[in-house]
């Protein structure tokens, strides 16, 4: 009986620590979001030929360093799956928050090109695989293990 109670306790503790998989953004800790569309390339007539969505989130720390990084990939996944990207060529993502020194600063930033946006939208790649597909990825040194 003691072993059963211990096993049930471990399951309950694991549930509270790791949670369950969900596609609801409310599970990810962010305070605010800023979204803008901008032109990133013009032709000789000054007509816009490439557009980017610039996203800036103010995030909160998760239980671990890895979870703090990974929440950004889940945030971007939900954002992409919720939008139509007909005229968008890339997403520029920036997350800010409290640094280990107590000041606010840059936590994570990256760029996602159109082909990767479509792979995420179609479910061809999962958040755990994003890092190897992102361009210009930058992660705050205090989160690296």
């Amino acid at each position: 009986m003691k072993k059963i109670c211990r096993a049930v306790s471990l399951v309950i503790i694991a549930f509270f620590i790791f949670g369950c998989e969900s596609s609801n953004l409310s599970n990810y800790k962010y305070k605010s979001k800023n979204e803008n569309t901008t032109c990133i390339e013009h032709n000789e007539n000054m007509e816009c030929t490439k557009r980017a969505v610039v996203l800036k989130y103010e995030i909160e720390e998760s239980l671990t360093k890895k979870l703090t990084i990974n929440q950004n990939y889940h945030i971007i996944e939900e954002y992409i799956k919720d939008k139509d990207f007909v005229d968008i060529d890339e997403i520029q993502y920036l997350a800010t928050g409290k640094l280990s020194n107590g000041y606010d600063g840059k936590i994570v930033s990256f760029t996602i090109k159109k082909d990767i946006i479509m792979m995420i939208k179609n479910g061809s790649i999962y958040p755990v695989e994003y890092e190897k597909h992102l361009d210009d990825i930058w992660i705050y040194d205090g989160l690296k293990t």
Side-chain angles (χ1 to χ4, degrees), residues 19-48:
C20 57
E21 188 69 27
S22 174
S23 61
N24 186 345
L25 275 180
S26 64
N27 290 333
Y28 306 109
K29 298 177 181 178
Y30 70 90
K31 295 179 183 176
S32 63
K33 176 178 111 174
N34 185 346
E35 174 183 353
N36 293 303
T37 302
T38 187
C39 186
I40 56 173
E41 192 173 289
H42 296 87
N43 64 16
E44 61 277 351
N45 297 324
M46 294 306 292
E47 298 167 328
C48 186

Side-chain angles (χ1 to χ4, degrees), residues 60-142:
E60 295 180 8
E61 187 177 11
S62 289
L63 291 174
T64 67
K65 293 175 180 182
K66 187 67 174 164
L67 287 174
T68 301
I69 294 168
N70 286 347
Q71 75 178 340
N72 295 285
Y73 306 144
H74 289 282
I75 288 169
I76 200 68
E77 176 188 45
E78 291 303 319
Y79 178 83
I80 288 171
K81 288 186 175 186
D82 191 44
K83 301 288 181 181
D84 183 22
F85 291 99
V86 176
D87 294 337
I88 300 300
D89 297 289
E90 69 181 38
I91 296 173
Q92 298 171 3
Y93 179 90
L94 169 67
T96 61
K98 289 278 185 224
L99 304 176
S100 56
N101 62 11
Y103 293 103
D104 288 336
K106 182 173 154 181
I107 303 290
V108 174
S109 67
F110 50 81
T111 303
I112 309 172
K113 301 295 185 192
K114 189 168 190 116
D115 59 331
I116 304 304
I117 293 170
M118 292 299 112
M119 289 173 70
I120 292 170
K121 186 156 186 77
N122 297 330
S124 302
I125 58 174
Y126 300 102
V128 295
E129 304 170 302
Y130 289 1
E131 273 187 34
K132 62 185 171 189
H133 295 285
L134 302 173
D135 291 319
D136 308 320
I137 189 164
W138 186 91
I139 298 172
Y140 172 58
D141 285 338

